[in-house]
Amino acid sequence: MEVKLNSVHFNADKKLVDFVNKKVNKLDTFFDGIIKAEVTLKVAKPEAANNKVAELKLSIPATENLFAKKQAGTFEEATDLAIDAMKRQLDKYKQKLKKK
């Protein structure tokens, strides 16, 4: 799976990039057919608490993209929340495929 990471208006350090790549690559264990993943990290409102946003878009064959967007106090926490939401979406998608 190809993982593309975009950080908007800041440079993500290596530790954050490694963390995101590790988490996103674990999604392969839930669904084999993931083509690519795009992760966008950005700060919503600099003056507010819980202002870190992680957006996760997965490309899967024969369907539209799956998308999750979560906001939290840190990028790691927001990424974890987005990954959890994506796991639920992948599970629903697999159930849908089994019914066909």
Side-chain angles (χ1 to χ4, degrees):
M1 166 177 41
E2 175 190 342
V3 179
K4 183 178 176 189
L5 177 67
N6 300 318
S7 53
V8 180
H9 300 301
F10 75 98
N11 291 323
D13 63 348
K14 182 168 175 24
K15 185 178 171 187
L16 180 59
V17 171
D18 290 344
F19 175 83
V20 171
N21 283 328
K22 181 179 154 195
K23 288 289 189 174
V24 172
N25 281 316
K26 283 187 179 177
L27 287 174
D28 266 343
T29 60
F30 291 92
F31 189 77
D32 295 334
I34 300 171
I35 300 168
K36 73 175 183 176
E38 287 184 44
V39 181
T40 304
L41 302 174
K42 59 186 173 183
V43 179
K45 294 180 181 176
E47 67 279 353
N50 291 338
N51 61 353
K52 309 294 189 290
V53 177
E55 297 176 355
L56 176 58
K57 184 168 105 176
L58 293 184
S59 297
I60 298 176
T63 185
E64 70 283 345
N65 296 325
L66 297 179
F67 184 79
K69 178 179 178 180
K70 295 294 176 185
Q71 191 166 336
T74 65
F75 285 118
E76 290 84 357
E77 187 180 353
T79 301
D80 278 338
L81 292 171
I83 293 288
D84 287 343
M86 191 57 70
K87 284 178 187 175
R88 287 190 296 276
Q89 286 186 41
L90 285 170
D91 194 40
K92 284 182 184 177
Y93 181 69
K94 283 196 306 190
Q95 297 300 324
K96 192 175 172 182
L97 286 178
K98 286 180 184 176
K99 288 181 182 177
K100 287 186 179 180

